[in-house]
Amino acid sequence: MVDGSSEQPEYEFDAVRLELEMFSPELAEKPYVVAFNKMDLPEACENWISFREKLRSCEIEPFCMSAVKSEGTQEVICAAHRLAKEVREVSKEGQKSMLSSHSE
């Protein structure tokens, strides 16, 4: 989650990703959802377009939301749920293929 009202939200995003990578490179490689929060504030609305363009150029589709107004939160929750479901399915497929290769 990125504070959309900060002066440079794209640097905030980069800092969080770097911190995560320094903490755990394996964790940093996992899929994730990016939520750009505080869209109820004028500064966030002004920052949104450039933030979205920067992330899209890296093939990341961010979501915008306002937690205070509960706007966009459902989309973020649904995206996180879909992502978790996809990860579980891929993990199950990987386990099945490992088991079948061990039994051969």
Side-chain angles (χ1 to χ4, degrees), residues 3-62:
D3 179 349
S5 68
S6 69
E7 285 188 35
Q8 296 177 314
E10 46 283 321
Y11 293 124
E12 202 174 283
F13 170 78
D14 291 339
V16 169
R17 295 296 307 159
L18 180 60
E19 190 173 319
L20 185 59
E21 189 173 326
M22 289 171 46
F23 174 74
S24 171
E26 296 81 25
L27 189 58
E29 291 297 318
K30 294 189 181 282
Y32 57 92
V33 173
V34 177
F36 185 88
N37 194 23
K38 299 191 179 179
M39 286 298 286
D40 52 294
L41 301 175
E43 315 83 271
C45 292
E46 291 171 13
N47 293 334
W48 168 242
I49 294 173
S50 63
F51 181 82
R52 182 181 60 195
E53 287 175 5
K54 179 196 186 272
L55 266 65
R56 282 182 171 173
S57 72
C58 300
E59 298 183 11
I60 300 167
E61 188 62 41

